[in-house]
Amino acid sequence: MLRIHVSGVDLSKVRMATRPDALWETTLSFHRLRDRRGPTVFGKWRTETRPRLNGEVRLLSAVIPPRGYFPDFLTPSQESCEPYGIDAGMEALRDTPPGRIRAELALLAAERRESARTQDGRVESLDRLVGVLRSYHRAAIEPYWPHIQASIEADRAVRGRALLDGGAEELLASLPPMIRWRAPVLEADYPVDRELHLDGRGLLLQPSFFCRVTPVVQRDPQLPPVLVYPVTHSRAPVFAEPGPWLGRLLGHTRSTVLRAIGNGCTTSELARRTGVSLASASQHACVLREAGLIHTLRHGSSVLHTLTPLGGSLLRGGAPLALS
Protein backbone atom coordinates (compact mmCIF):
# COMPACT_ATOMS: atom_id res chain seq x y z
CA MET A 1 0.00 0.00 0.00
CA LEU A 2 1.19 3.50 -0.87
CA ARG A 3 0.03 6.32 1.44
CA ILE A 4 0.58 9.92 0.36
CA HIS A 5 -0.06 12.37 3.19
CA VAL A 6 -1.68 15.54 1.84
CA SER A 7 -1.94 18.69 3.98
CA GLY A 8 -4.19 21.64 3.21
CA VAL A 9 -1.22 23.45 1.67
CA ASP A 10 -0.40 20.39 -0.44
CA LEU A 11 -4.01 20.17 -1.62
CA SER A 12 -3.78 23.72 -2.96
CA LYS A 13 -0.66 22.69 -4.92
CA VAL A 14 -2.01 19.52 -6.55
CA ARG A 15 -1.63 19.91 -10.30
CA MET A 16 -1.99 17.94 -13.52
CA ALA A 17 0.88 17.37 -15.93
CA THR A 18 0.27 19.27 -19.14
CA ARG A 19 1.47 16.47 -21.43
CA PRO A 20 2.95 12.96 -21.41
CA ASP A 21 6.46 12.66 -20.01
CA ALA A 22 8.76 11.17 -22.64
CA LEU A 23 11.16 9.52 -20.18
CA TRP A 24 8.44 8.05 -17.98
CA GLU A 25 6.78 6.59 -21.09
CA THR A 26 10.12 5.27 -22.35
CA THR A 27 11.02 3.62 -19.04
CA LEU A 28 7.58 2.16 -18.32
CA SER A 29 7.18 0.91 -21.88
CA PHE A 30 10.33 -1.17 -21.38
CA HIS A 31 8.43 -3.04 -18.64
CA ARG A 32 5.49 -3.61 -21.01
CA LEU A 33 7.82 -4.88 -23.72
CA ARG A 34 8.95 -7.80 -21.54
CA ASP A 35 5.59 -9.01 -20.25
CA ARG A 36 2.57 -10.46 -22.05
CA ARG A 37 -0.17 -8.67 -20.17
CA GLY A 38 -2.61 -6.26 -21.78
CA PRO A 39 -2.52 -7.82 -25.27
CA THR A 40 -5.45 -5.71 -26.54
CA VAL A 41 -3.64 -2.47 -25.79
CA PHE A 42 0.02 -3.47 -26.09
CA GLY A 43 0.03 -6.58 -28.31
CA LYS A 44 0.35 -4.83 -31.67
CA TRP A 45 2.86 -2.38 -30.22
CA ARG A 46 5.06 -5.25 -28.94
CA THR A 47 4.88 -7.07 -32.28
CA GLU A 48 5.94 -3.97 -34.21
CA THR A 49 8.56 -2.70 -31.76
CA ARG A 50 10.63 -5.82 -31.07
CA PRO A 51 12.00 -6.20 -34.64
CA ARG A 52 13.15 -2.56 -34.58
CA LEU A 53 15.40 -3.10 -31.54
CA ASN A 54 19.09 -3.89 -31.84
CA GLY A 55 20.68 -4.75 -28.50
CA GLU A 56 18.78 -2.17 -26.46
CA VAL A 57 16.91 -4.80 -24.41
CA ARG A 58 20.11 -6.37 -23.08
CA LEU A 59 21.67 -3.03 -22.20
CA LEU A 60 18.59 -1.43 -20.64
CA SER A 61 17.84 -4.56 -18.60
CA ALA A 62 20.94 -3.74 -16.54
CA VAL A 63 19.26 -0.64 -15.11
CA ILE A 64 15.53 -1.40 -15.59
CA PRO A 65 14.66 -4.79 -14.06
CA PRO A 66 11.38 -6.49 -15.00
CA ARG A 67 9.88 -5.51 -11.64
CA GLY A 68 10.75 -3.53 -8.55
CA TYR A 69 13.04 -0.55 -8.14
CA PHE A 70 14.67 1.27 -11.03
CA PRO A 71 16.86 4.37 -10.52
CA ASP A 72 15.07 7.69 -10.07
CA PHE A 73 17.62 9.50 -12.24
CA LEU A 74 16.10 7.78 -15.31
CA THR A 75 12.98 9.97 -14.95
CA PRO A 76 14.15 13.50 -14.06
CA SER A 77 11.54 16.20 -13.50
CA GLN A 78 10.75 18.19 -16.65
CA GLU A 79 8.12 20.55 -15.22
CA SER A 80 10.32 23.60 -15.72
CA CYS A 81 11.92 22.44 -18.97
CA GLU A 82 11.26 24.46 -22.13
CA PRO A 83 11.25 22.97 -24.67
CA TYR A 84 9.75 19.88 -23.06
CA GLY A 85 10.29 16.40 -24.44
CA ILE A 86 12.80 13.66 -25.03
CA ASP A 87 15.72 16.03 -25.80
CA ALA A 88 15.16 18.08 -22.65
CA GLY A 89 14.74 14.88 -20.66
CA MET A 90 18.02 13.47 -21.95
CA GLU A 91 19.82 16.70 -21.06
CA ALA A 92 18.34 16.60 -17.55
CA LEU A 93 19.45 12.97 -17.23
CA ARG A 94 22.94 13.84 -18.46
CA ASP A 95 23.17 16.59 -15.79
CA THR A 96 22.64 14.10 -12.94
CA PRO A 97 25.49 14.40 -10.40
CA PRO A 98 27.82 11.37 -10.55
CA GLY A 99 27.44 10.82 -6.81
CA ARG A 100 23.68 10.42 -7.16
CA ILE A 101 24.12 7.99 -10.05
CA ARG A 102 26.52 5.88 -7.98
CA ALA A 103 24.18 5.87 -4.99
CA GLU A 104 21.09 4.88 -6.98
CA LEU A 105 22.89 2.19 -8.97
CA ALA A 106 24.34 0.81 -5.73
CA LEU A 107 20.79 0.61 -4.36
CA LEU A 108 19.68 -1.15 -7.55
CA ALA A 109 22.58 -3.60 -7.28
CA ALA A 110 21.77 -4.28 -3.62
CA GLU A 111 18.12 -5.00 -4.44
CA ARG A 112 19.04 -7.22 -7.37
CA ARG A 113 22.04 -8.74 -5.53
CA GLU A 114 24.21 -8.26 -8.57
CA SER A 115 26.41 -5.57 -10.10
CA ALA A 116 24.84 -2.96 -12.34
CA ARG A 117 26.76 -2.43 -15.55
CA THR A 118 27.16 1.33 -15.01
CA GLN A 119 27.68 1.22 -11.25
CA ASP A 120 30.81 3.39 -11.33
CA GLY A 121 28.73 6.33 -12.61
CA ARG A 122 31.42 7.46 -15.06
CA VAL A 123 30.50 10.10 -17.61
CA GLU A 124 31.22 7.77 -20.51
CA SER A 125 28.90 5.15 -19.00
CA LEU A 126 26.15 7.74 -18.67
CA ASP A 127 26.70 8.84 -22.27
CA ARG A 128 26.26 5.25 -23.37
CA LEU A 129 23.06 4.91 -21.34
CA VAL A 130 21.66 8.12 -22.83
CA GLY A 131 22.45 6.82 -26.32
CA VAL A 132 20.71 3.51 -25.67
CA LEU A 133 17.65 5.22 -24.17
CA ARG A 134 17.40 7.54 -27.14
CA SER A 135 17.69 4.63 -29.57
CA TYR A 136 15.01 2.69 -27.70
CA HIS A 137 12.73 5.75 -27.57
CA ARG A 138 13.11 6.18 -31.33
CA ALA A 139 12.03 2.59 -31.93
CA ALA A 140 9.38 2.09 -29.26
CA ILE A 141 7.85 5.49 -28.54
CA GLU A 142 8.23 7.95 -31.41
CA PRO A 143 6.08 6.06 -33.95
CA TYR A 144 3.18 6.00 -31.46
CA TRP A 145 3.58 9.42 -29.86
CA PRO A 146 0.38 10.94 -31.35
CA HIS A 147 -1.67 8.07 -29.88
CA ILE A 148 0.08 8.34 -26.51
CA GLN A 149 -0.69 12.06 -26.50
CA ALA A 150 -4.33 11.43 -27.38
CA SER A 151 -4.73 9.00 -24.49
CA ILE A 152 -3.17 11.47 -22.07
CA GLU A 153 -5.39 14.28 -23.35
CA ALA A 154 -8.48 12.10 -22.91
CA ASP A 155 -7.48 11.46 -19.30
CA ARG A 156 -6.75 15.15 -18.72
CA ALA A 157 -10.23 15.99 -20.00
CA VAL A 158 -11.77 13.70 -17.36
CA ARG A 159 -9.57 15.10 -14.57
CA GLY A 160 -10.24 18.66 -15.70
CA ARG A 161 -13.98 18.09 -15.42
CA ALA A 162 -13.52 16.74 -11.92
CA LEU A 163 -11.41 19.73 -10.92
CA LEU A 164 -14.02 22.17 -12.25
CA ASP A 165 -16.86 20.27 -10.58
CA GLY A 166 -15.37 19.97 -7.10
CA GLY A 167 -11.84 21.32 -6.82
CA ALA A 168 -8.67 19.44 -5.91
CA GLU A 169 -10.43 16.92 -3.66
CA GLU A 170 -12.78 15.91 -6.47
CA LEU A 171 -9.76 15.66 -8.78
CA LEU A 172 -8.05 13.23 -6.39
CA ALA A 173 -11.29 11.28 -5.95
CA SER A 174 -11.62 10.94 -9.74
CA LEU A 175 -8.32 9.06 -10.18
CA PRO A 176 -8.44 5.41 -11.38
CA PRO A 177 -9.87 2.85 -8.92
CA MET A 178 -6.49 1.59 -7.69
CA ILE A 179 -6.05 5.07 -6.15
CA ARG A 180 -8.39 6.19 -3.34
CA TRP A 181 -8.74 9.63 -1.76
CA ARG A 182 -9.41 9.25 1.98
CA ALA A 183 -8.66 12.73 3.24
CA PRO A 184 -6.04 13.62 4.24
CA VAL A 185 -4.36 10.53 2.73
CA LEU A 186 -4.22 9.44 -0.88
CA GLU A 187 -3.97 5.63 -0.85
CA ALA A 188 -2.98 3.41 -3.73
CA ASP A 189 -2.37 -0.24 -4.44
CA TYR A 190 1.38 -0.74 -4.42
CA PRO A 191 3.78 -3.71 -4.37
CA VAL A 192 5.40 -2.56 -1.09
CA ASP A 193 4.38 -0.41 1.88
CA ARG A 194 5.40 3.23 1.35
CA GLU A 195 4.64 6.45 3.23
CA LEU A 196 5.18 9.69 1.32
CA HIS A 197 4.84 13.01 3.15
CA LEU A 198 4.45 15.93 0.76
CA ASP A 199 5.43 18.52 3.41
CA GLY A 200 3.89 21.46 1.57
CA ARG A 201 5.47 20.65 -1.82
CA GLY A 202 2.20 19.67 -3.49
CA LEU A 203 1.83 16.77 -5.92
CA LEU A 204 2.17 16.45 -9.68
CA LEU A 205 -0.30 13.99 -11.22
CA GLN A 206 1.25 12.41 -14.32
CA PRO A 207 -1.02 10.20 -16.44
CA SER A 208 0.89 7.53 -18.38
CA PHE A 209 0.00 5.37 -21.36
CA PHE A 210 2.46 2.59 -20.44
CA CYS A 211 1.90 2.57 -16.68
CA ARG A 212 -0.19 -0.48 -15.77
CA VAL A 213 -2.16 -1.84 -12.78
CA THR A 214 -0.52 0.29 -10.05
CA PRO A 215 0.81 3.86 -9.94
CA VAL A 216 4.50 4.68 -9.58
CA VAL A 217 6.35 7.12 -7.32
CA GLN A 218 10.04 7.81 -7.10
CA ARG A 219 12.04 6.12 -4.35
CA ASP A 220 13.81 9.24 -3.03
CA PRO A 221 11.31 11.18 -0.85
CA GLN A 222 13.36 14.36 -1.28
CA LEU A 223 12.66 14.57 -5.02
CA PRO A 224 9.72 16.68 -6.28
CA PRO A 225 6.64 14.51 -5.56
CA VAL A 226 5.04 12.97 -8.65
CA LEU A 227 2.38 10.27 -8.90
CA VAL A 228 2.48 8.45 -12.24
CA TYR A 229 -0.77 6.58 -12.82
CA PRO A 230 -2.23 4.49 -15.67
CA VAL A 231 -4.71 6.06 -18.05
CA THR A 232 -7.94 4.18 -18.70
CA HIS A 233 -7.58 2.71 -22.15
CA SER A 234 -10.37 2.78 -24.71
CA ARG A 235 -12.02 -0.54 -25.47
CA ALA A 236 -10.93 -0.23 -29.08
CA PRO A 237 -7.28 -1.19 -29.76
CA VAL A 238 -5.39 2.10 -29.65
CA PHE A 239 -2.86 1.19 -32.34
CA ALA A 240 -5.33 -0.53 -34.66
CA GLU A 241 -5.47 0.41 -38.33
CA PRO A 242 -8.66 2.18 -39.48
CA GLY A 243 -11.03 -0.62 -40.40
CA PRO A 244 -14.24 -1.11 -42.39
CA TRP A 245 -16.10 1.04 -39.86
CA LEU A 246 -14.59 4.07 -41.57
CA GLY A 247 -16.95 3.58 -44.48
CA ARG A 248 -19.94 4.12 -42.22
CA LEU A 249 -18.77 7.63 -41.36
CA LEU A 250 -19.76 9.19 -44.69
CA GLY A 251 -22.56 11.65 -44.26
CA HIS A 252 -23.35 15.07 -42.87
CA THR A 253 -24.71 13.97 -39.48
CA ARG A 254 -21.62 12.10 -38.28
CA SER A 255 -19.33 14.85 -39.51
CA THR A 256 -21.39 17.24 -37.39
CA VAL A 257 -21.17 14.88 -34.41
CA LEU A 258 -17.39 14.54 -34.76
CA ARG A 259 -17.00 18.31 -34.99
CA ALA A 260 -19.26 18.81 -31.97
CA ILE A 261 -17.05 16.58 -29.79
CA GLY A 262 -14.17 19.05 -30.29
CA ASN A 263 -12.18 19.31 -27.06
CA GLY A 264 -14.42 16.82 -25.26
CA CYS A 265 -18.04 16.41 -24.24
CA THR A 266 -20.41 13.96 -22.57
CA THR A 267 -23.11 12.10 -24.50
CA SER A 268 -25.78 14.46 -23.12
CA GLU A 269 -23.78 17.49 -24.21
CA LEU A 270 -23.25 15.91 -27.62
CA ALA A 271 -27.00 15.43 -28.04
CA ARG A 272 -27.64 19.07 -27.13
CA ARG A 273 -24.91 20.42 -29.40
CA THR A 274 -26.11 18.46 -32.44
CA GLY A 275 -29.85 18.55 -31.80
CA VAL A 276 -30.29 14.77 -31.83
CA SER A 277 -31.75 12.42 -29.25
CA LEU A 278 -29.60 10.96 -26.47
CA ALA A 279 -29.94 7.49 -28.00
CA SER A 280 -28.88 8.78 -31.42
CA ALA A 281 -25.90 10.65 -29.96
CA SER A 282 -24.83 7.48 -28.16
CA GLN A 283 -25.12 5.46 -31.38
CA HIS A 284 -23.08 7.97 -33.39
CA ALA A 285 -20.42 8.05 -30.68
CA CYS A 286 -20.26 4.24 -30.73
CA VAL A 287 -19.55 4.20 -34.48
CA LEU A 288 -16.96 6.96 -34.18
CA ARG A 289 -15.26 5.08 -31.35
CA GLU A 290 -15.16 1.79 -33.27
CA ALA A 291 -13.69 3.64 -36.25
CA GLY A 292 -10.88 4.91 -34.03
CA LEU A 293 -11.89 8.57 -34.27
CA ILE A 294 -12.74 9.21 -30.61
CA HIS A 295 -11.82 7.99 -27.14
CA THR A 296 -14.63 7.32 -24.68
CA LEU A 297 -13.88 7.26 -20.96
CA ARG A 298 -16.23 7.09 -17.99
CA HIS A 299 -16.56 10.19 -15.81
CA GLY A 300 -18.77 9.53 -12.79
CA SER A 301 -22.20 8.50 -14.00
CA SER A 302 -21.56 9.77 -17.55
CA VAL A 303 -18.99 9.17 -20.27
CA LEU A 304 -16.64 11.69 -21.85
CA HIS A 305 -15.74 11.64 -25.54
CA THR A 306 -12.52 13.15 -26.92
CA LEU A 307 -10.88 13.07 -30.35
CA THR A 308 -8.09 10.66 -31.31
CA PRO A 309 -5.26 11.81 -33.63
CA LEU A 310 -7.15 10.27 -36.58
CA GLY A 311 -10.34 12.11 -35.64
CA GLY A 312 -8.48 15.39 -35.30
CA SER A 313 -6.75 14.82 -38.64
CA LEU A 314 -10.06 14.26 -40.42
CA LEU A 315 -11.54 17.42 -38.91
CA ARG A 316 -8.53 19.45 -40.03
CA GLY A 317 -8.92 18.08 -43.53
CA GLY A 318 -5.60 16.24 -43.46
CA ALA A 319 -4.84 12.72 -44.55
CA PRO A 320 -5.52 9.93 -42.04
CA LEU A 321 -2.50 9.06 -39.93
CA ALA A 322 -0.60 6.00 -41.09
CA LEU A 323 0.29 3.46 -38.42
CA SER A 324 3.15 1.54 -39.94
Coordinates of all heavy atoms in Angstrom, one line a residue, residues 30 34 53-65 74 105 108 112 114-118 125 127-133 135-136:
F30 N 9.4 -0.1 -21.4 CA 10.3 -1.2 -21.4 C 9.8 -2.3 -20.5 O 10.1 -3.5 -20.7 CB 11.7 -0.7 -20.9 CG 12.8 -1.7 -21.1 CD1 13.1 -2.1 -22.4 CD2 13.5 -2.1 -20.0 CE1 14.1 -3.0 -22.6 CE2 14.6 -3.1 -20.2 CZ 14.9 -3.5 -21.5
R34 N 8.5 -6.5 -22.0 CA 9.0 -7.8 -21.5 C 7.9 -8.6 -20.9 O 8.2 -9.7 -20.4 CB 10.1 -7.6 -20.6 CG 11.4 -7.0 -21.3 CD 12.4 -6.6 -20.3 NE 12.0 -5.5 -19.5 CZ 12.7 -5.0 -18.5 NH1 13.8 -5.7 -18.1 NH2 12.3 -4.0 -17.8
L53 N 14.4 -3.2 -32.6 CA 15.4 -3.1 -31.5 C 16.7 -3.8 -31.9 O 16.6 -4.8 -32.6 CB 14.9 -3.6 -30.2 CG 13.6 -2.9 -29.7 CD1 13.1 -3.6 -28.4 CD2 14.0 -1.4 -29.4
N54 N 17.8 -3.3 -31.5 CA 19.1 -3.9 -31.8 C 20.0 -3.8 -30.6 O 20.9 -3.0 -30.6 CB 19.7 -3.1 -33.0 CG 21.0 -3.8 -33.5 OD1 21.2 -4.9 -33.3 ND2 21.8 -3.0 -34.2
G55 N 19.8 -4.7 -29.7 CA 20.7 -4.8 -28.5 C 20.2 -3.9 -27.3 O 20.8 -4.0 -26.3
E56 N 19.2 -3.1 -27.5 CA 18.8 -2.2 -26.5 C 18.2 -2.9 -25.3 O 18.4 -2.5 -24.1 CB 17.7 -1.2 -27.0 CG 18.2 -0.1 -27.9 CD 18.1 -0.6 -29.4 OE1 17.9 -1.8 -29.6 OE2 18.3 0.3 -30.3
V57 N 17.5 -4.0 -25.5 CA 16.9 -4.8 -24.4 C 18.0 -5.3 -23.4 O 17.8 -5.1 -22.2 CB 16.1 -6.0 -25.0 CG1 15.6 -6.9 -23.8 CG2 14.9 -5.5 -25.7
R58 N 19.0 -5.8 -24.0 CA 20.1 -6.4 -23.1 C 20.7 -5.2 -22.3 O 21.0 -5.4 -21.1 CB 21.2 -7.1 -23.9 CG 22.3 -7.6 -23.1 CD 23.3 -8.3 -24.0 NE 23.9 -7.4 -25.0 CZ 24.9 -6.6 -24.8 NH1 25.5 -6.5 -23.7 NH2 25.3 -5.8 -25.8
L59 N 21.0 -4.1 -22.9 CA 21.7 -3.0 -22.2 C 20.8 -2.3 -21.2 O 21.2 -2.0 -20.1 CB 22.2 -2.0 -23.2 CG 23.3 -2.5 -24.1 CD1 23.5 -1.6 -25.3 CD2 24.6 -2.8 -23.4
L60 N 19.5 -2.1 -21.6 CA 18.6 -1.4 -20.6 C 18.2 -2.3 -19.5 O 17.9 -1.8 -18.4 CB 17.3 -1.0 -21.4 CG 17.5 0.2 -22.3 CD1 16.2 0.6 -23.0 CD2 18.1 1.4 -21.6
S61 N 18.2 -3.6 -19.7 CA 17.8 -4.6 -18.6 C 18.8 -4.4 -17.4 O 18.4 -4.8 -16.3 CB 17.8 -6.0 -19.1 OG 16.8 -6.2 -20.1
A62 N 20.0 -3.9 -17.6 CA 20.9 -3.7 -16.5 C 20.5 -2.7 -15.5 O 20.8 -2.8 -14.4 CB 22.3 -3.4 -17.1
V63 N 19.7 -1.7 -16.0 CA 19.3 -0.6 -15.1 C 17.7 -0.6 -14.9 O 17.3 0.1 -14.0 CB 19.7 0.7 -15.6 CG1 21.2 0.9 -15.5 CG2 19.3 1.0 -17.1
I64 N 17.0 -1.4 -15.7 CA 15.5 -1.4 -15.6 C 15.1 -2.9 -15.5 O 14.9 -3.5 -16.5 CB 14.8 -0.7 -16.8 CG1 15.3 0.7 -17.1 CG2 13.3 -0.7 -16.5 CD1 14.7 1.3 -18.3
P65 N 15.0 -3.4 -14.2 CA 14.7 -4.8 -14.1 C 13.2 -5.0 -14.4 O 12.4 -4.0 -14.5 CB 14.9 -5.0 -12.6 CG 14.8 -3.7 -11.9 CD 15.3 -2.7 -13.0
L74 N 16.6 8.1 -14.0 CA 16.1 7.8 -15.3 C 14.9 8.6 -15.7 O 14.6 8.7 -16.9 CB 15.7 6.3 -15.4 CG 16.9 5.3 -15.3 CD1 16.4 3.9 -15.3 CD2 17.9 5.5 -16.5
L105 N 22.5 3.5 -8.4 CA 22.9 2.2 -9.0 C 23.4 1.2 -7.9 O 23.2 0.0 -8.1 CB 24.0 2.4 -10.0 CG 23.5 3.1 -11.3 CD1 24.7 3.4 -12.2 CD2 22.4 2.3 -12.0
L108 N 20.2 -0.2 -6.6 CA 19.7 -1.1 -7.5 C 20.4 -2.5 -7.4 O 19.8 -3.5 -7.4 CB 19.8 -0.6 -9.0 CG 19.4 -1.5 -10.1 CD1 18.0 -1.9 -10.1 CD2 19.8 -0.9 -11.5
R112 N 19.0 -6.1 -6.4 CA 19.0 -7.2 -7.4 C 20.1 -8.2 -7.0 O 20.2 -9.3 -7.6 CB 19.4 -6.7 -8.8 CG 18.3 -5.7 -9.3 CD 18.7 -5.2 -10.7 NE 18.6 -6.3 -11.7 CZ 18.9 -6.1 -13.0 NH1 19.3 -5.0 -13.4 NH2 18.7 -7.1 -13.8
E114 N 23.2 -8.1 -7.5 CA 24.2 -8.3 -8.6 C 24.7 -6.9 -8.9 O 24.2 -5.9 -8.5 CB 23.6 -8.9 -9.8 CG 22.5 -8.1 -10.4 CD 21.8 -8.8 -11.6 OE1 21.5 -10.0 -11.5 OE2 21.6 -8.1 -12.6
S115 N 25.8 -6.8 -9.7 CA 26.4 -5.6 -10.1 C 25.7 -5.0 -11.3 O 25.4 -5.7 -12.2 CB 27.9 -5.8 -10.5 OG 28.6 -6.2 -9.4
A116 N 25.4 -3.7 -11.2 CA 24.8 -3.0 -12.3 C 26.0 -2.6 -13.3 O 27.1 -2.3 -12.9 CB 24.1 -1.7 -11.9
R117 N 25.7 -2.6 -14.6 CA 26.8 -2.4 -15.6 C 27.4 -1.1 -15.4 O 28.6 -0.9 -15.7 CB 26.2 -2.6 -17.0 CG 25.8 -4.0 -17.3 CD 25.2 -4.1 -18.7 NE 24.7 -5.4 -19.0 CZ 25.4 -6.5 -19.4 NH1 26.7 -6.3 -19.6 NH2 24.8 -7.6 -19.6
T118 N 26.6 0.0 -15.1 CA 27.2 1.3 -15.0 C 27.4 1.8 -13.6 O 27.2 3.0 -13.3 CB 26.2 2.3 -15.7 OG1 24.9 2.1 -15.2 CG2 26.2 2.0 -17.2
S125 N 30.0 6.1 -19.2 CA 28.9 5.1 -19.0 C 27.5 5.8 -19.1 O 26.6 5.2 -19.7 CB 29.1 4.5 -17.6 OG 30.3 3.8 -17.5
D127 N 26.9 8.5 -20.9 CA 26.7 8.8 -22.3 C 26.2 7.6 -23.0 O 25.3 7.7 -23.9 CB 28.0 9.3 -22.9 CG 28.4 10.7 -22.5 OD1 27.5 11.4 -22.0 OD2 29.6 11.1 -22.7
R128 N 26.7 6.5 -22.7 CA 26.3 5.2 -23.4 C 24.8 5.0 -23.0 O 24.0 4.6 -23.9 CB 27.1 4.1 -22.9 CG 26.8 2.8 -23.7 CD 27.6 1.6 -23.2 NE 27.4 0.4 -24.0 CZ 27.7 -0.8 -23.5 NH1 28.3 -1.0 -22.3 NH2 27.5 -1.8 -24.3
L129 N 24.4 5.1 -21.8 CA 23.1 4.9 -21.3 C 22.1 5.9 -22.0 O 21.0 5.5 -22.5 CB 22.9 5.1 -19.8 CG 21.5 4.9 -19.2 CD1 20.9 3.6 -19.6 CD2 21.6 5.2 -17.7
V130 N 22.5 7.1 -22.1 CA 21.7 8.1 -22.8 C 21.5 7.7 -24.3 O 20.4 7.8 -24.8 CB 22.3 9.5 -22.7 CG1 21.6 10.5 -23.7 CG2 22.2 10.1 -21.3
G131 N 22.5 7.3 -24.9 CA 22.4 6.8 -26.3 C 21.5 5.6 -26.5 O 20.7 5.6 -27.5
V132 N 21.6 4.7 -25.6 CA 20.7 3.5 -25.7 C 19.2 3.9 -25.4 O 18.3 3.4 -26.1 CB 21.2 2.4 -24.7 CG1 20.2 1.3 -24.6 CG2 22.5 1.9 -25.1
L133 N 19.0 4.8 -24.4 CA 17.6 5.2 -24.2 C 17.1 6.0 -25.4 O 15.9 5.8 -25.7 CB 17.6 6.1 -22.9 CG 17.6 5.4 -21.6 CD1 17.8 6.5 -20.5 CD2 16.2 4.7 -21.4
S135 N 17.9 5.6 -28.5 CA 17.7 4.6 -29.6 C 16.4 3.8 -29.3 O 15.6 3.6 -30.2 CB 18.9 3.7 -29.7 OG 18.7 2.7 -30.6
Y136 N 16.2 3.4 -28.0 CA 15.0 2.7 -27.7 C 13.8 3.6 -27.9 O 12.7 3.1 -28.4 CB 15.1 2.2 -26.3 CG 13.8 1.5 -25.8 CD1 13.5 0.2 -26.1 CD2 12.9 2.2 -25.0 CE1 12.3 -0.4 -25.7 CE2 11.7 1.7 -24.6 CZ 11.4 0.4 -25.0 OH 10.2 -0.2 -24.6

